[in-house]
Amino acid sequence: MDDRELQELVENLSLRYFQRSFNHQASFNSRLQTTGGRYLLTSHNIEINKKYLEQLGKNELIGIIKHELCHYHLHLEGGGYKHGDADFKQLLKEVDAPRHCATLPNRPKRKSSMKLYIYACKSCNQLYKRKRSINTKRYVCGRCGGKLKKVIEGS
């Protein structure tokens, strides 16, 4: 499937499920990493992650397009187009669109054993867990202002 076929699919789905035309551009964006698609507020265009079509098939792609069309039509009509808005949730139900897209099977998993640095305040013993190392000469305790010391080095 190329951008022209995607454009036709988006226009057809818009008419079928929303009874409104899609008058902007739909295209594949290979730079999308963590999402199936996105609706651009300024240009009103829709970008789709082609990996979802390749790895999960056309049904998943259709779900992503319907989700993005919910953002599109609600935004243009002045309704609540954000994920937390009641209008958006209601329209998702009406057109049977997913709230979130599935996880790609070929996506690299995060390390379960993430490095963790633990710091303690020398005065009040408040503990701070951090994923990144911090400069203890530059930062102080948020509770009492005391100096910090590294308790556990990231492993």
Side-chain angles (χ1 to χ4, degrees):
M1 181 180 282
D2 61 7
D3 283 351
R4 183 186 50 77
E5 292 169 313
L6 176 66
Q7 181 73 30
E8 287 177 22
L9 179 60
V10 171
E11 290 172 3
N12 292 337
L13 291 172
S14 183
L15 288 171
R16 180 176 171 193
Y17 289 99
F18 300 88
Q19 294 76 43
R20 297 176 193 94
S21 62
F22 176 73
N23 301 318
H24 293 84
Q25 288 299 118
S27 60
F28 287 112
N29 183 344
S30 61
R31 293 181 312 277
L32 295 178
Q33 296 291 317
T34 59
T35 185
R38 67 179 174 185
Y39 164 64
L40 302 167
L41 293 172
T42 53
S43 66
H44 307 296
N45 293 339
I46 291 177
E47 295 180 342
I48 302 293
N49 186 341
K50 194 169 190 173
K51 293 175 195 153
Y52 279 81
L53 172 63
E54 295 164 351
Q55 295 179 27
L56 296 173
K58 193 168 182 178
N59 285 339
E60 184 70 22
L61 177 71
I62 289 172
I64 292 168
I65 292 169
K66 289 194 299 188
H67 177 102
E68 299 309 325
L69 284 171
C70 288
H71 288 297
Y72 173 81
H73 289 298
L74 286 169
H75 181 244
L76 292 179
E77 293 169 5
Y81 61 88
K82 296 179 183 175
H83 284 117
D85 294 336
D87 292 344
F88 182 75
K89 291 177 184 176
Q90 181 61 36
L91 188 56
L92 285 177
K93 284 182 187 174
E94 289 174 16
V95 299
D96 192 30
R99 184 119 190 258
H100 305 284
C101 58
T103 304
L104 286 172
N106 291 351
R107 181 145 188 225
K109 302 269 191 275
R110 288 186 175 176
K111 292 181 183 176
S112 59
S113 59
M114 177 75 89
K115 288 184 179 181
L116 192 64
Y117 299 89
I118 299 179
Y119 299 89
C121 175
K122 291 181 179 179
S123 302
C124 69
N125 293 320
Q126 172 72 33
L127 291 178
Y128 295 94
K129 296 177 184 175
R130 297 291 178 265
K131 292 179 182 176
R132 300 173 87 175
S133 179
I134 63 169
N135 182 351
T136 55
K137 293 177 181 161
R138 187 171 179 200
Y139 294 96
V140 296
C141 176
R143 180 194 253 174
C144 72
K147 293 188 175 200
L148 298 177
K149 64 180 177 183
K150 191 179 287 187
V151 177
I152 295 177
E153 180 79 30
S155 53

